[in-house]
């Protein structure tokens, strides 16, 4: 492990009766050199962040592999597998593990190569994923990077659940010009210590199925891994008797 990214050179000596009679000690001799490949990776969603929405669509997951110690002009194959951080098992979609690979020929011994995965996140809210990588030369695995706790290899799919009530935790609002509506948002799988902004809209649901926004609000909070935060709206309900209100977040 401590030799990752380093070169070692073998020196040889021939002895007769404990006397060195010849030797081969050339620090620049490529024939005597063994290179230990080093790889470091950074996984992000296609939006350039560690977080992506759980929607019924396919997002790109990009894994940038920084390598050191490759032989310029030689062909290599970099592979990757998306792993569920909790189970330690590959992410399965359409009955197959989510994998990808790219074959490349480096021009220098150190550089970057990118692996791209296409992932449907519609059923993945609240999940965390880690990308494992293997590097092959002539069909032989020469480097691997597989650490479920490596934050650089990790990406997240957040999840939220909400409950809108009056200030007294009731589902019915009183009539008034500045009635407080409280929206409590439970969140999972955010990055701890990061600051987020929660935005909300209170909408009136009409009988024809259309919505009209009657109030907007936002609140900033610093996240734990999971937790809750609140956003409050002050609403004039004097003309909303008998109406249903819904909060969008």
């Amino acid at each position: 492990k401590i030799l990752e990214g380093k070169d070692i050179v073998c020196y040889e000596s021939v002895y007769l009766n404990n006397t060195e009679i010849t030797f081969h000690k050339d620090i620049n001799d490529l024939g005597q050199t063994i290179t230990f490949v080093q790889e470091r990776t950074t996984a992000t969603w296609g939006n350039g962040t560690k977080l992506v929405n759980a929607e019924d669509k396919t997002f790109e997951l990009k894994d940038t592999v920084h390598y050191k110690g490759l032989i310029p002009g030689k062909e290599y194959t970099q592979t990757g597998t998306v792993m569920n951080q909790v189970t330690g098992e590959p992410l399965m979609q359409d009955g197959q593990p989510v994998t990808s690979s790219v074959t490349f020929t480096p021009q220098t011994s150190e550089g970057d190569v990118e692996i791209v995965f296409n992932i449907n996140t519609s059923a993945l809210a609240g999940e965390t994923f880690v990308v494992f990588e293997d590097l092959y030369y002539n069909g032989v695995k020469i480097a691997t990077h597989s650490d479920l706790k490596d934050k650089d290899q990790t990406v997240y799919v957040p999840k939220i659940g909400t409950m809108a009530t009056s200030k007294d935790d009731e589902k019915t609002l009183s009539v008034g010009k500045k009635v407080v509506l409280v929206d409590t948002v439970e969140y999972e799988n955010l990055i701890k210590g990061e600051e987020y902004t929660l935005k909300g809209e209170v909408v009136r649901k009409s009988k024809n199925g259309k919505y009209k926004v009657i109030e907007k609000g936002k609140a900033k909070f610093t996240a734990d891994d999971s937790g809750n935060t609140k956003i409050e709206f002050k609403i004039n309900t004097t003309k909303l008797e008998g109406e249903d209100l819904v909060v969008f977040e």
Side-chain angles (χ1 to χ4, degrees):
K1 185 71 175 180
I2 63 173
L3 295 177
E4 279 188 331
K6 299 184 183 299
D7 294 336
I8 63 172
V9 180
C10 296
Y11 286 1
E12 302 87 11
S13 296
V14 177
Y15 289 83
L16 178 63
N17 296 327
N18 294 325
T19 300
E20 185 179 46
I21 59 173
T22 187
F23 61 85
H24 188 193
K25 301 177 182 179
D26 183 357
I27 195 68
N28 297 312
D29 190 333
L30 294 179
Q32 292 177 283
T33 303
I34 297 175
T35 299
F36 291 85
V37 177
Q38 180 186 63
E39 288 196 322
R40 293 291 179 265
T41 66
T42 303
T44 59
W45 293 103
N47 59 12
T49 77
K50 291 283 190 177
L51 302 145
V52 75
N53 217 357
E55 298 180 17
D56 188 16
K57 61 185 294 187
T58 297
F59 289 93
E60 283 190 345
L61 171 57
K62 297 181 179 180
D63 190 30
T64 302
V65 180
H66 182 79
Y67 57 81
K68 185 178 180 181
L70 300 191
I71 302 173
K74 299 294 184 180
E75 186 176 87
Y76 297 86
T77 298
Q78 183 73 62
T79 68
T81 303
V82 180
M83 309 291 290
N84 185 300
Q85 189 183 58
V86 174
T87 66
E89 299 294 328
L91 169 64
M92 305 293 290
Q93 294 202 325
D94 298 325
Q96 299 293 326
V98 177
T99 62
S100 186
S101 65
V102 60
T103 298
F104 67 103
T105 302
Q107 301 304 306
T108 58
S109 64
E110 184 174 358
D112 297 314
V113 63
E114 186 176 83
I115 318 171
V116 178
F117 309 84
N118 294 306
I119 300 175
N120 186 306
T121 62
S122 58
L124 302 179
E127 300 284 357
T128 302
F129 301 100
V130 181
V131 184
F132 284 5
E133 303 89 4
D134 293 311
L135 181 66
Y136 292 86
Y137 174 64
N138 285 339
V140 177
K141 186 193 299 186
I142 61 171
T144 188
H145 191 200
S146 52
D147 183 356
L148 286 171
K149 296 182 179 180
D150 190 331
K151 292 184 178 180
D152 288 337
Q153 290 177 282
T154 304
V155 292
Y156 308 84
V157 185
K159 179 180 180 180
I160 61 171
T162 66
M163 175 67 75
T165 65
S166 70
K167 203 165 187 178
D168 299 320
D169 292 329
E170 301 292 338
K171 296 298 287 185
T172 301
L173 297 180
S174 60
V175 176
K177 291 185 177 181
K178 291 184 179 181
V179 177
V180 176
L181 185 156
V182 180
D183 191 30
T184 302
V185 177
E186 299 280 347
Y187 61 82
E188 297 178 28
N189 219 31
L190 297 185
I191 301 175
K192 186 176 182 179
E194 295 287 343
E195 186 179 74
Y196 296 84
T197 300
L198 172 65
K199 294 183 178 182
E201 294 180 337
V202 180
V203 299
R204 181 173 63 186
K205 190 164 85 173
S206 63
K207 295 179 180 179
N208 61 9
K210 294 184 178 180
Y211 295 87
K212 180 180 179 181
V213 177
I214 61 173
E215 190 65 48
K216 295 182 179 181
K218 64 181 180 179
K220 291 186 177 182
F221 66 100
T222 300
D224 289 318
D225 298 310
S226 60
N228 67 75
T229 189
K230 299 178 186 292
I231 183 170
E232 292 190 357
F233 306 88
K234 290 184 178 179
I235 305 170
N236 184 345
T237 61
T238 56
K239 297 181 180 181
L240 297 175
E241 291 182 81
E243 301 282 356
D244 289 334
L245 302 180
V246 182
V247 184
F248 292 167
E249 304 86 357

